[in-house]
Amino acid sequence: MADKQDFLKMVRTSLGVSERRDIARDDSTGYFLTKDEVSQAADDIRADAAQRRSELVDGFVHRATEAGWKIHRVANYEDAAEEVTAVVREHGAKAVMRSDHDILSEVPLESALKAEGIELEVAMREPSDDADEDLERRLALRETSFNSEVGITGVDFAIAETGTVAMKPGIGSSRLVSLTPEVHIGVMTPESIIPSLDELFALTRDQHLSGEHKGMINLITGPSRTADIEANLVIGVHGPREVHLVIVG
Amino acid sequence: MSQTQQIPQRVLLFVTCTVDQLYPQVGESVVNVLERQGCEVDFPAGQTCCGQPAFNAGFTEDAKVVARRFLDVFAGDDPIVVPSGSCGAMVRNFYPELFHDEQETLAKVGQVSGRLYEFSEFLVDVLGREDLAGKMSGSATYHQCCHLLRELGVDAQPKSLLGNVEGLEVLPMEQSEVCCGFGGTFAVKFPDLSTAMLNDKLDNAVATGADTLVAGDTTCLMHLEGGVRKRGDALQLKHLAQILDEATAPDGVKS
Amino acid sequence: MKVRTDEFKARSTETTQNPRRQASLKMVYDGLHKSRIAAAEDTDNWDDLRDRARAIKWHTINNLDYYLDQLDQNVRANGGKVYFANDDAEARDYVLGVAKANNVKTVIKSKSMVSEEIGLNEAFEEAGINPVETDLGEYIIQLAKEPPYHLIAPAIHKTREEISDLIQEVAGGPRQEDPEDLTDTARALLRGEFRKAEMGVSGVNFAVAETGSIAIVTNEGNGRMVTSAPRVHVAIVGMEKVIPSQQDLSTMLRVLIRSATGQRISSYVTVVNGPRKAPEEDGPDEFHLVIVNNGRENLLKDEQLREAMLCLRCGACLNACPVYRKAGGHAYGWVYPGPIGAIVTPVMTGKKAGRDLPFASTLCGACKDACPVKIELPQLLLRLRSDLSEGKTDPKEKSSPLAERASIKLWRFGVQSPMRFSLAGKLSSLMMAPLSQQGWVRWLPPPLSGWTKSREFPRIAGKPFRARFKKKVQR
């Protein structure tokens, strides 16, 4: 059986290093930034983003469109609900699921979809202290996700450099709600937009160091795609075929 | 456009073993062109080879023996001109690697490689001549030899010299930067791969409609010309020096 | 995977004679290679990015013990398990053990080159477990029962007709040839597997030491499926894939993705941080990270060859390589083809059997230009040539044929004196005379007969340059 110490010993021997060591700060990597440095950087990012809001929105919309997102700009949450409903209607979808992201509590989706005769599912289970029961409920939720035709979520960050949205699973936000349906609709505000991948990972690092963010993060840029058959680009493989972003404000 | 130099620049010619033994006419063209540009060309008769064949085959100790002798043959102060990207790269880029742990030899390497120029690089970067006022009819297309392009970074210079030949139509070639498939012993060790690459290159050259394929290394030219002769393409192969020699020859005098 | 490096010559020749393969390989230049170049030109500070990525990797490799230790600690702090596998058998056995402990019947896999190294699929099948590749290209070659042809586009050699046949065999129904239809069918087939699989096995593009996370880059969405839907997730990673901080991910992702496909970013980048945390609605209950050696230490322990550990497995060197584009991926005989394969395969699996690989290059340098982390690939190839020809680092590795060594000695003797050199030239010229027409020879004896199969050879000049040159002053 492989032993960690033996393995590390093999690595050290290979490097010509005799024993375990701590290493000196090297700024070719971000690893050595202190908690304070990271925290300060995060504050700067938020301040800078607030100042450059409209520029960032333009940049994001440009890149996101390029990447295959269909962008809807709306003035308020009611209009957002209408846009979402229109997409659902367009697809003739009946099985619709949403996450329980904060922003979605502002959007009157339930009523809008009910008017179309659609019962909106929420990507949330009633947790149970009994492990088996909890697993059963999670499996049931998984099944519902696989059967959904449209998934509606919030977003945690939006990245202007690449037209990407970043989403973290949490309570009421499953991994699958943005993955299994054929159509994914994200609802967001301009305040989520940051300039680039650098800022994203600086912010997530800040969250990580302050104990906030322990979970995974998904970066999503456009619909799913492949070019595995004679290098022909085909849109819509295992993930959604069509993706929308409704930007409120 | 720069002025003609008043004082003949003395240069040492590193002609390369391939030019010496297989393409002497290319060496003559190099001398003609340099002399017409006002240079006094000297040929250190002790020269034979830079050692690249052994180096590429993995026989570094043998390559070092040959290289050390090369450094002595070319000791001095005058610029050294070589009509080859691969031999030039051997001295400039690979000698320092070969002798990385021999301080004394490394100093000699610096002294020699610091004065070593590829032929087109010498004309353009040292003499400051991009236009040799040459004239020639016909059409040509240019193959970018790998070591010249990627090891020495010499590309704009030969293209400029070629492009400035009045009357010569220079046609672009598909995949001109892709290797011709020579690669030294590769051509003999992996003949089927080498031939497949050769055929691609010649097909691309023929497709341009040019009557001549021009390149800066006689090793590539020997492989390409050998292929043309077997295939029967209507394509001439010339070293850049030969084009420039013909283009700048005084009327009625051909070398 | 079985090592077939000694078959390079025969298999590469076969590929050059196969028009369908040649047509697919031409698409590598027109598609992937050109896309990378376009992406690089479109990126303002591309060269600077490459330098930064290289610096991050070098720093990590030079302190690999430290970062692997951190990675292990942080994965476990996240509730994950870590297994250090010294070789393919240990890695295989561990993963099988996890599958058996969880009564797994179906395993869904997203792309993992290391899983190919260790022969994981065969091991699953032997144990009565069904492994299903979910990356479309990997799925296609799984159906074809072939190894991958390329690092990121494993089925790049298959024509749509061949793919149609494969999919029809499995799906039944009418034959489809449109790529969209074929993809839809594959999607439907794999959907069923995603729903029921108890375990997901993924590869890893970057393992982040500071957080114990792994980053997976995909376009299809299968990477997300495999790491989100099943109850158990096993990630397999080569020990060189660790990076220090998540803040290094921005640089690494930028250079990796542009170099692999020419995209600014892939459709999905999934950063997994161990198993699901209690309140989360879904996600695996178990996360295992298997860190694999399997011969990588042979690269690591050599100061020069260590540079090969910088490799991101992006495939850019393959796309740029004129030899790969003729020989095809299978000829290289193992998991990694192209220039990087010609280096790591012999070092990891045996230099003698793989001795053709470092010589199967013209040293044109296109690979070095293409590499996002500026690995000196031609230099490493030359180093292996010297190992094989001279036994530079280890005399036992010397395996050059006697005839070759003898001819180098002869050549050296000849070029150490201009007189001997000239004499040799004169003699050769004389010997070639009866064979030549118009200064060209149509046949040469072995070993040079390889040349004259397809080319003529110039006759050595009767009067070489040195005999013609007279100093201007002396005329």
Side-chain angles (χ1 to χ4, degrees), chain B residues 17 23 38 46 93 98 127 135 146 160 189 200 211 223 226 246:
Chain B
C17 60
Y23 281 91
N93 298 18
L98 259 186
L127 296 186
K135 287 199 203 8
C146 298
S160 181
K189 281 188 175 170
D200 271 8
D211 45 49
H223 164 77
E246 277 178 49

Side-chain angles (χ1 to χ4, degrees), chain A residues 1-4 7-8 10-12 14-17 19-24 26 28-33 38 63 66 123-125 134-135 138 141-143 146-147 161-162 164 169-182 196-198 201-202 204-205 208 213-226 228-234 236-241, chain C residues 27 55-56 59 61-70 72-73 76 83-86 90 134-137 153 155 158-160 163 179-180 182-184 187 190-191 194-197 210-211 219-222 224-225 228-231 239 244-250 253-254 263-273 276-283 285 291 293 297 300-301 306:
Chain A
M1 203 209 98
D3 180 69
K4 173 184 174 180
F7 196 96
L8 293 183
M10 172 273 293
V11 173
R12 281 180 203 124
S14 301
L15 288 171
V17 168
E19 57 191 33
R20 193 175 183 285
R21 63 241 165 94
D22 283 321
I23 55 180
D26 180 334
S28 55
T29 163
Y31 186 84
F32 297 97
L33 293 170
V38 174
R63 290 288 177 201
E66 217 174 61
M124 203 157 77
R125 80 199 184 288
D134 193 69
L135 177 60
R138 281 186 280 121
L141 183 61
R142 185 173 102 169
E143 193 64 17
F146 270 103
N147 293 334
E161 172 195 1
T162 48
T164 300
I171 299 171
S173 284
S174 70
R175 291 156 170 73
L176 295 185
V177 63
S178 58
L179 175 64
T180 50
E182 281 215 3
S196 80
L197 291 169
D198 295 320
F201 290 115
T204 56
R205 184 147 187 232
H208 182 88
H213 165 65
K214 281 280 176 188
M216 72 175 310
I217 191 161
N218 266 312
L219 272 55
I220 302 170
T221 311
S224 69
R225 61 195 95 203
T226 182
D228 273 328
I229 299 176
E230 285 188 352
N232 276 284
L233 181 64
V234 176
V237 196
H238 306 300
R241 206 187 285 274
Chain C
M27 283 199 296
I56 291 168
H59 168 77
I61 296 296
N62 286 332
N63 297 289
L64 190 61
D65 54 323
Y66 175 79
Y67 286 111
L68 286 176
D69 189 7
Q70 293 299 309
D72 166 74
Q73 287 184 42
R76 287 186 291 114
Y83 185 78
F84 285 93
N86 209 39
E90 285 185 0
T134 63
D135 170 276
L136 185 59
K158 292 286 187 208
T159 61
R160 71 176 71 181
I163 296 171
E180 283 196 32
L182 288 165
T183 305
D184 272 345
R187 178 191 160 115
L190 291 169
R191 202 86 174 163
F194 289 135
R195 280 180 181 252
K196 73 177 195 225
E210 115 198 310
T211 51
N219 275 300
E220 297 178 15
N222 61 318
R224 288 181 64 191
M225 284 286 194
S228 305
R231 226 184 47 74
M239 67 185 189
S245 162
Q246 64 188 286
Q247 287 192 263
D248 299 325
L249 275 175
S250 42
L253 290 170
R254 282 178 184 127
Q263 293 170 293
R264 198 163 255 269
I265 192 171
S266 55
S267 294
Y268 307 110
V269 179
T270 308
V271 184
V272 173
N273 219 27
R276 59 175 277 275
K277 311 293 175 278
E280 287 170 14
E281 305 295 343
D282 57 6
D285 292 313
I291 304 176
N293 171 6
E297 73 180 283
L300 188 63
K301 71 186 182 196
R306 189 176 297 164

